[in-house]
């Protein structure tokens, strides 16, 4: 290809590089969107499996009740202060129930703060 001068060659090369740059930016945006969707899906799967299998041995988790107090006729259900956690409905809660699961294989007790359950005062 014959050019009139070096300036024209540089302008053509610059235009080509700018077009390639726009294409690469568009590709990068598509890949970032795809990555964020994939990470969100993995997080949802991980969150759903958190209460299904033991973190140590991948055994089956069974719900158990853990109570406080000395009187077995009137046990106190455990609750934990959640002033540092926001409520899903907005604002703060004072306490949330503690849910416990025990592994049927290794016996490890998993405790979860249930801040997703709607409190009776809300």
């Amino acid at each position: 290809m014959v050019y009139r001068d070096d300036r024209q060659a540089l302008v053509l090369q610059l235009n080509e590089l700018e077009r390639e740059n726009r294409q690469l930016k568009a590709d990068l945006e598509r890949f970032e969107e795809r990555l964020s969707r994939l990470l969100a899906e993995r997080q949802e799967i991980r969150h759903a499996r958190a209460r299904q299998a033991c973190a140590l041995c991948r055994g089956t988790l069974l719900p158990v009740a853990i109570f406080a107090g000395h009187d077995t006729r009137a046990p106190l259900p455990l609750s934990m202060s959640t002033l540092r956690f926001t409520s899903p409905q907005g604002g703060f809660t004072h306490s949330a129930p503690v849910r416990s699961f025990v592994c049927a294989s290794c016996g490890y007790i998993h405790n979860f703060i249930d801040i997703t359950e709607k409190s009776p005062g809300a």
Side-chain angles (χ1 to χ4, degrees), residues 3-61:
Y3 300 106
R4 292 186 188 165
D5 57 10
D6 290 339
R7 186 178 301 157
Q8 184 183 15
L10 289 174
V11 167
L12 291 173
Q13 187 177 15
L14 180 65
N15 289 340
E16 178 65 24
L17 289 174
E18 286 176 347
R19 186 196 60 76
E20 184 180 355
N21 190 24
R22 284 191 301 273
Q23 178 65 34
L24 290 173
K25 284 182 180 181
D27 290 345
L28 181 63
E29 286 179 13
R30 283 197 312 271
F31 285 128
E32 285 176 347
E33 289 173 7
R34 191 169 142 206
L35 177 64
S36 65
R37 280 196 314 269
L38 180 64
L39 290 176
E41 289 172 6
R42 283 186 182 174
Q43 181 66 24
E44 287 178 18
I45 291 170
R46 200 173 320 157
H47 188 268
R49 290 183 185 167
R51 296 185 185 185
Q52 293 178 351
C54 178
L56 300 176
C57 69
R58 305 304 296 164
T60 304
L61 293 181

